[in-house]
Amino acid sequence: MAPSLEDDWVPPRAAVSTGELPSGADIETALAEAYEHCGPITDGNVADYIPALAAVDPSSFGIAVASSRGGLWTAGDAYSEFSIQSISKPFVFALVCEAIGHDAARRKLGVNATGLAFNSVMAIELNDQRTMNPMVNAGAIAATSLIPGVDADEQWSNIVAGLSSFAGRPLTMDEEVYRSEAATNLRNQGIAHLLDGYGFLYADPDESTDVYTKQCSLRVSSVDLAVMGATLADGGVNPRTGQQVVTAVTAKRTLAVLATAGLYETSGDWLFDIGLPGKSGVSGGIVTVSPGKGGLGVWSPPLDSAGNSVRGQLVTRYLSDALGLNLFASVPLN
Ligand code: GLU
């Protein structure tokens, strides 16, 4: 861990980067272009290690952009629902930061990339910071175990309430996906027990794995993802409902972890191409956040070998460039 300043240290002067999305008409045009340009791409394979995910229509394709000012633009199947899967991880991590503070969350969960697959057991064995970060399954199950609640039921209720506030509407669970994953998630149970053995799990391992599996089965649409992303882009305030869901500090820390580890072991490639914090999930969704400006939600089920939506990455890349979102882009001053 890098040497850290005191938890409550505030610099004498603090600034926040600002900026606006292009006009609504320009966003609409860029979305239509992105949809048309990426529509014909059929590369990748639908996830099948969770049996219920294999049944999805691979041609499903939705895109949504939500601005920090409350605007919303969509294309294709933007309101179709799918299970959130790993995209739940940053939002649960944000809730944990709210509950225990971001420094404690960093100590207990870690914030560095593993360079290994999302469900790697080797990453736990190789690193003294066993959980590594809250975007891989080890850190994510540990994050779930840190959610406040007297028992697993209350932790689950708090997760549903928190993620629903991010989305600005009540989210519900996909029972079929939950049952399908719960019947086949021996590996995640193993990870939870291994972490428990190392003292890096903070509640009962079987119950924590079960709550984690439920959280992955929450149903969202591309529009929900865009609004959830826009909430992280807007200092933790949901721009559609006006609710302060988490603090601005929590939003900032969550985005930092996404930049490091949001796209599994190809997070570096993602940042190189797209230049924004994002998180993908095995059902084919990707949420991307443009700090201060807004959120993008994309859904297209076929995945690359790392588990990221093929078309989702290309659409996001297109929109990052077309809308001027890349955090690292600048023009010379002459
Ligand atoms: N529920 C899935 C798992 O834990 C989520 C994986 C993902 O979306 O990366 O295996």
Side-chain angles (χ1 to χ4, degrees):
M1 195 192 302
S4 78
L5 296 163
E6 296 298 316
D7 253 1
D8 54 358
W9 185 84
V10 181
R13 211 178 349 202
V16 174
S17 71
T18 54
E20 296 278 336
L21 287 176
S23 72
D26 284 348
I27 296 172
E28 211 166 301
T29 307
L31 262 186
E33 283 170 3
Y35 188 77
E36 199 181 332
H37 184 76
C38 299
I41 296 163
T42 55
D43 298 346
N45 296 302
V46 168
D48 57 6
Y49 77 99
I50 300 171
L53 293 185
V56 72
D57 175 1
S59 69
S60 308
F61 187 27
I63 319 176
V65 175
S67 78
S68 303
R69 292 189 176 273
L72 182 66
W73 297 265
T74 63
D77 306 319
Y79 287 91
S80 299
E81 294 184 3
F82 48 94
S83 56
I84 189 168
Q85 296 300 336
S86 270
I87 304 172
S88 61
K89 291 170 179 170
F91 300 99
V92 169
F93 175 64
L95 298 177
V96 169
C97 287
E98 290 291 290
I100 68 172
H102 62 265
D103 256 13
R106 180 200 345 218
R107 271 195 305 277
K108 287 175 183 286
L109 301 171
V111 293
N112 287 312
T114 65
L116 293 164
F118 70 98
N119 57 0
S120 172
V121 171
M122 202 156 62
I124 302 172
E125 291 296 333
L126 287 176
N127 297 285
D128 288 341
Q129 166 62 62
R130 306 290 170 186
T131 49
M132 286 308 286
N133 72 66
M135 301 305 132
V136 293
N137 286 12
I141 298 169
T144 298
S145 77
L146 284 169
I147 288 287
V150 293
D151 57 19
D153 285 345
E154 198 176 309
Q155 288 181 305
W156 169 233
S157 306
N158 285 334
I159 288 175
V160 176
L163 267 58
S164 296
S165 295
F166 271 109
R169 73 174 185 105
L171 299 180
T172 57
M173 194 175 79
D174 186 321
E175 292 284 346
E176 193 198 339
V177 169
Y178 165 64
R179 274 197 302 273
S180 175
E181 186 168 0
T184 54
N185 69 355
L186 284 167
R187 189 179 180 96
N188 283 344
Q189 291 171 26
I191 286 173
H193 281 275
L194 188 57
L195 288 178
D196 197 29
Y198 279 122
F200 275 80
L201 204 79
Y202 308 100
D204 177 81
D206 291 319
E207 287 181 357
S208 298
T209 309
D210 187 53
V211 176
Y212 165 79
T213 307
K214 285 181 177 160
Q215 96 190 26
C216 288
S217 309
L218 283 170
R219 297 169 64 84
V220 290
S221 64
S222 305
V223 168
D224 291 324
L225 292 184
V227 174
M228 294 170 91
T231 302
L232 290 177
D234 189 31
V237 174
N238 182 318
R240 308 277 294 172
T241 64
Q243 185 187 353
Q244 180 97 47
V245 182
V246 292
T247 63
V249 173
T250 287
K252 178 172 71 171
R253 303 297 187 211
T254 303
L255 294 181
V257 178
L258 285 190
T260 310
L263 273 276
Y264 307 116
E265 62 272 31
T266 54
S267 297
D269 286 310
W270 164 269
L271 207 55
F272 195 83
D273 286 332
I274 289 158
L276 292 167
K279 181 77 199 86
S280 62
V282 291
S283 49
I286 303 183
V287 66
T288 306
V289 181
S290 175
K293 295 180 180 174
L296 266 57
V298 184
W299 180 49
S300 170
L303 310 175
D304 65 15
S305 57
N308 302 308
S309 168
V310 173
R311 200 156 45 170
Q313 292 175 87
L314 293 169
V315 167
T316 308
R317 181 171 176 177
Y318 193 100
L319 289 173
S320 173
D321 286 337
L323 301 177
L325 306 180
N326 190 318
L327 288 171
F328 306 112
S330 60
V331 288
L333 269 175
N334 296 319

